[in-house]
Amino acid sequence: IFSLLGVVLFLFATFSVNFFGGVLYEGHPALKGTAYAEKAWFVFNFNDHVMAITTWFTQLLIEYSPDWAEALALTSQWGGIAWWIYPTFYVIGVAILFEILKAFTVETFMAMKEEAEEEERKEEEERSEKDESKTDVMKKIQSQDHTKQEYKSEIQMFEAVRATLRESGDELHFRMRHHSKNVQDLRRSYSFYMALVDAGHTNPMAVSHGNVTPKSATYQSWR
């Protein structure tokens, strides 16, 4: 589109310089009283290629100006025929090619915007996944720490039971298997046993706790 628009500008500029060069200038008697002269638009002429390309490029950016066509028709030897070059360029260069260029530019911009938003969305998803992974790792570490704390607590409880049993001439042998129900039974039995000791029972191991004696509950808990 850019190349085609450049070709059109060059062709119209070359044509204008060859057919209308030197006819638009300040002080031309035919321009007296025209809007072209009153607005001092003499810089927009076809006296050389630079000014011709500037004139047609300006037409791409502004609305169609009939004053320029009128000035060219009054000063050119071609008269009314020369007038048609302005609307012809406006239809080909502005209404068709330049509009296509603008549409292409907008479409390209929207495509780039969507691509940037898609990349941003993917980056956000990656960051979220990383955050979730970090959270999972932290939870796992916390869970492991909690398990270790429970393990240490159970070891301490068994050691306390062993020490208490040794005082009465008994011995406790245990191996940790992390059966939570057995550990709870052992804790209840140990609490019941210690309550009997505090109450002054001389043989607390013989006293039943429901249907299970503290001693039997203690040994069952670690099996």
Side-chain angles (χ1 to χ4, degrees):
I1 299 298
F2 277 106
S3 300
L4 184 58
L5 188 59
V7 170
V8 170
L9 283 173
F10 179 78
L11 290 177
F12 271 86
T14 302
F15 180 85
S16 302
V17 169
N18 283 279
F19 287 91
F20 312 120
V23 299
L24 293 173
Y25 57 88
E26 187 174 1
H28 196 296
L31 296 176
K32 187 176 182 180
T34 62
Y36 182 87
E38 291 177 357
K39 296 178 182 179
W41 279 342
F42 299 106
V43 68
F44 299 114
N45 57 66
F46 306 113
N47 298 336
D48 55 54
H49 268 86
V50 175
M51 298 310 301
I53 291 177
T54 302
T55 300
W56 292 125
F57 183 77
T58 304
Q59 277 286 294
L60 289 175
L61 305 178
I62 65 174
E63 295 180 354
Y64 175 74
S65 178
D67 298 335
W68 294 12
E70 178 189 8
L72 185 62
L74 292 175
T75 55
S76 173
Q77 61 178 345
W78 301 98
I81 297 177
W83 180 90
W84 284 98
I85 191 171
Y86 276 98
T88 301
F89 176 82
Y90 191 84
V91 171
I92 297 175
V94 180
I96 298 178
L97 292 179
F98 193 63
E99 291 300 322
I100 293 176
L101 175 63
K102 288 194 293 185
F104 175 76
T105 303
V106 172
E107 183 178 357
T108 303
F109 172 77
M110 294 301 297
M112 293 175 64
K113 183 174 181 295
E114 290 178 358
E115 183 178 353
E117 290 178 349
E118 181 66 19
E119 291 180 357
E120 184 177 354
R121 185 184 63 79
K122 289 181 179 179
E123 291 177 356
E124 184 65 26
E125 289 179 353
E126 291 178 356
R127 284 196 296 268
S128 299
E129 290 177 357
K130 289 180 180 179
D131 293 340
E132 290 178 358
S133 299
K134 290 180 181 179
T135 303
D136 293 339
V137 171
M138 292 302 297
K139 288 181 177 179
K140 186 177 293 185
I141 292 174
Q142 292 174 357
S143 177
Q144 291 176 351
D145 292 340
H146 182 68
T147 302
K148 289 179 180 179
Q149 288 297 116
E150 288 186 347
Y151 183 78
K152 290 179 180 179
S153 176
E154 292 172 3
I155 291 292
Q156 292 173 356
M157 182 189 67
F158 279 114
E159 291 294 343
V161 172
R162 173 183 286 175
T164 303
L165 292 175
R166 281 179 179 175
E167 292 177 359
S168 60
D170 294 319
E171 185 64 35
L172 173 65
H173 300 280
F174 64 90
R175 180 174 59 190
M176 299 300 296
R177 290 187 178 179
H178 294 284
H179 295 298
S180 58
K181 183 179 184 303
N182 293 338
V183 172
Q184 292 175 3
D185 291 341
L186 178 60
R187 286 176 177 170
R188 287 195 297 269
S189 299
Y190 177 67
S191 298
F192 179 67
Y193 176 82
M194 292 305 297
L196 293 177
V197 171
D198 293 340
H201 285 272
T202 57
N203 189 15
M205 299 298 293
V207 180
S208 63
H209 180 202
N211 296 324
V212 181
T213 65
K215 185 174 181 179
S216 63
T218 300
Y219 286 105
Q220 287 176 358
S221 298
W222 62 266
R223 286 174 182 168

PDB file of all heavy atoms in Angstrom, residues 31 35 61 68 100 103 118 125 147 171:
ATOM      1  N   LEU A  31      -5.227  35.137 -11.086  1.00  0.00           N
ATOM      2  CA  LEU A  31      -5.538  34.708  -9.720  1.00  0.00           C
ATOM      3  C   LEU A  31      -6.044  35.848  -8.845  1.00  0.00           C
ATOM      4  O   LEU A  31      -6.393  35.614  -7.684  1.00  0.00           O
ATOM      5  CB  LEU A  31      -4.286  34.107  -9.062  1.00  0.00           C
ATOM      6  CG  LEU A  31      -3.741  32.826  -9.715  1.00  0.00           C
ATOM      7  CD1 LEU A  31      -2.454  32.409  -9.035  1.00  0.00           C
ATOM      8  CD2 LEU A  31      -4.786  31.710  -9.637  1.00  0.00           C
ATOM      9  N   ALA A  35      -9.902  32.850  -4.108  1.00  0.00           N
ATOM     10  CA  ALA A  35      -9.631  32.364  -2.750  1.00  0.00           C
ATOM     11  C   ALA A  35      -8.199  31.860  -2.636  1.00  0.00           C
ATOM     12  O   ALA A  35      -7.572  31.959  -1.582  1.00  0.00           O
ATOM     13  CB  ALA A  35     -10.610  31.245  -2.383  1.00  0.00           C
ATOM     14  N   LEU A  61      -3.923  14.797   3.202  1.00  0.00           N
ATOM     15  CA  LEU A  61      -4.149  15.033   4.628  1.00  0.00           C
ATOM     16  C   LEU A  61      -5.302  15.986   4.918  1.00  0.00           C
ATOM     17  O   LEU A  61      -5.772  16.031   6.059  1.00  0.00           O
ATOM     18  CB  LEU A  61      -2.864  15.592   5.260  1.00  0.00           C
ATOM     19  CG  LEU A  61      -1.595  14.728   5.060  1.00  0.00           C
ATOM     20  CD1 LEU A  61      -0.403  15.408   5.692  1.00  0.00           C
ATOM     21  CD2 LEU A  61      -1.792  13.333   5.632  1.00  0.00           C
ATOM     22  N   TRP A  68      -8.169  25.199  -5.145  1.00  0.00           N
ATOM     23  CA  TRP A  68      -6.947  24.865  -5.872  1.00  0.00           C
ATOM     24  C   TRP A  68      -7.265  24.495  -7.321  1.00  0.00           C
ATOM     25  O   TRP A  68      -6.548  24.887  -8.239  1.00  0.00           O
ATOM     26  CB  TRP A  68      -6.238  23.692  -5.185  1.00  0.00           C
ATOM     27  CG  TRP A  68      -5.725  24.020  -3.824  1.00  0.00           C
ATOM     28  CD1 TRP A  68      -6.011  25.113  -3.076  1.00  0.00           C
ATOM     29  CD2 TRP A  68      -4.838  23.223  -3.048  1.00  0.00           C
ATOM     30  NE1 TRP A  68      -5.366  25.072  -1.870  1.00  0.00           N
ATOM     31  CE2 TRP A  68      -4.630  23.916  -1.819  1.00  0.00           C
ATOM     32  CE3 TRP A  68      -4.197  22.013  -3.230  1.00  0.00           C
ATOM     33  CZ2 TRP A  68      -3.806  23.434  -0.807  1.00  0.00           C
ATOM     34  CZ3 TRP A  68      -3.382  21.523  -2.226  1.00  0.00           C
ATOM     35  CH2 TRP A  68      -3.184  22.224  -1.032  1.00  0.00           C
ATOM     36  N   ILE A 100      -7.502   2.848   2.204  1.00  0.00           N
ATOM     37  CA  ILE A 100      -7.017   1.471   2.357  1.00  0.00           C
ATOM     38  C   ILE A 100      -5.809   1.445   3.276  1.00  0.00           C
ATOM     39  O   ILE A 100      -5.671   0.556   4.135  1.00  0.00           O
ATOM     40  CB  ILE A 100      -6.664   0.866   0.984  1.00  0.00           C
ATOM     41  CG1 ILE A 100      -7.935   0.686   0.147  1.00  0.00           C
ATOM     42  CG2 ILE A 100      -5.947  -0.473   1.155  1.00  0.00           C
ATOM     43  CD1 ILE A 100      -7.668   0.193  -1.260  1.00  0.00           C
ATOM     44  N   ALA A 103      -7.022   1.827   6.818  1.00  0.00           N
ATOM     45  CA  ALA A 103      -7.645   0.584   7.285  1.00  0.00           C
ATOM     46  C   ALA A 103      -6.584  -0.473   7.587  1.00  0.00           C
ATOM     47  O   ALA A 103      -6.669  -1.181   8.600  1.00  0.00           O
ATOM     48  CB  ALA A 103      -8.624   0.069   6.233  1.00  0.00           C
ATOM     49  N   GLU A 118      -2.247 -11.111  24.341  1.00  0.00           N
ATOM     50  CA  GLU A 118      -2.123 -12.558  24.477  1.00  0.00           C
ATOM     51  C   GLU A 118      -0.827 -12.916  25.190  1.00  0.00           C
ATOM     52  O   GLU A 118      -0.809 -13.793  26.073  1.00  0.00           O
ATOM     53  CB  GLU A 118      -2.153 -13.219  23.083  1.00  0.00           C
ATOM     54  CG  GLU A 118      -2.059 -14.728  23.101  1.00  0.00           C
ATOM     55  CD  GLU A 118      -3.255 -15.391  23.731  1.00  0.00           C
ATOM     56  OE1 GLU A 118      -4.310 -14.744  23.842  1.00  0.00           O
ATOM     57  OE2 GLU A 118      -3.129 -16.577  24.112  1.00  0.00           O
ATOM     58  N   GLU A 125      -0.465 -15.958  33.339  1.00  0.00           N
ATOM     59  CA  GLU A 125      -0.744 -17.352  33.685  1.00  0.00           C
ATOM     60  C   GLU A 125       0.509 -18.045  34.213  1.00  0.00           C
ATOM     61  O   GLU A 125       0.450 -18.819  35.168  1.00  0.00           O
ATOM     62  CB  GLU A 125      -1.280 -18.102  32.458  1.00  0.00           C
ATOM     63  CG  GLU A 125      -2.687 -17.681  32.064  1.00  0.00           C
ATOM     64  CD  GLU A 125      -3.170 -18.431  30.842  1.00  0.00           C
ATOM     65  OE1 GLU A 125      -2.349 -19.182  30.239  1.00  0.00           O
ATOM     66  OE2 GLU A 125      -4.352 -18.284  30.470  1.00  0.00           O
ATOM     67  N   THR A 147       4.156 -32.558  60.626  1.00  0.00           N
ATOM     68  CA  THR A 147       4.314 -33.995  60.854  1.00  0.00           C
ATOM     69  C   THR A 147       5.503 -34.275  61.772  1.00  0.00           C
ATOM     70  O   THR A 147       5.440 -35.121  62.669  1.00  0.00           O
ATOM     71  CB  THR A 147       4.511 -34.723  59.515  1.00  0.00           C
ATOM     72  OG1 THR A 147       3.381 -34.462  58.675  1.00  0.00           O
ATOM     73  CG2 THR A 147       4.636 -36.225  59.726  1.00  0.00           C
ATOM     74  N   GLU A 171       8.511 -52.211  81.717  1.00  0.00           N
ATOM     75  CA  GLU A 171       9.311 -51.686  80.603  1.00  0.00           C
ATOM     76  C   GLU A 171       8.419 -51.560  79.373  1.00  0.00           C
ATOM     77  O   GLU A 171       7.533 -52.407  79.147  1.00  0.00           O
ATOM     78  CB  GLU A 171      10.482 -52.628  80.290  1.00  0.00           C
ATOM     79  CG  GLU A 171      11.433 -52.093  79.220  1.00  0.00           C
ATOM     80  CD  GLU A 171      12.142 -50.821  79.647  1.00  0.00           C
ATOM     81  OE1 GLU A 171      12.462 -50.672  80.852  1.00  0.00           O
ATOM     82  OE2 GLU A 171      12.368 -49.951  78.788  1.00  0.00           O
TER      83      GLU A 171
END
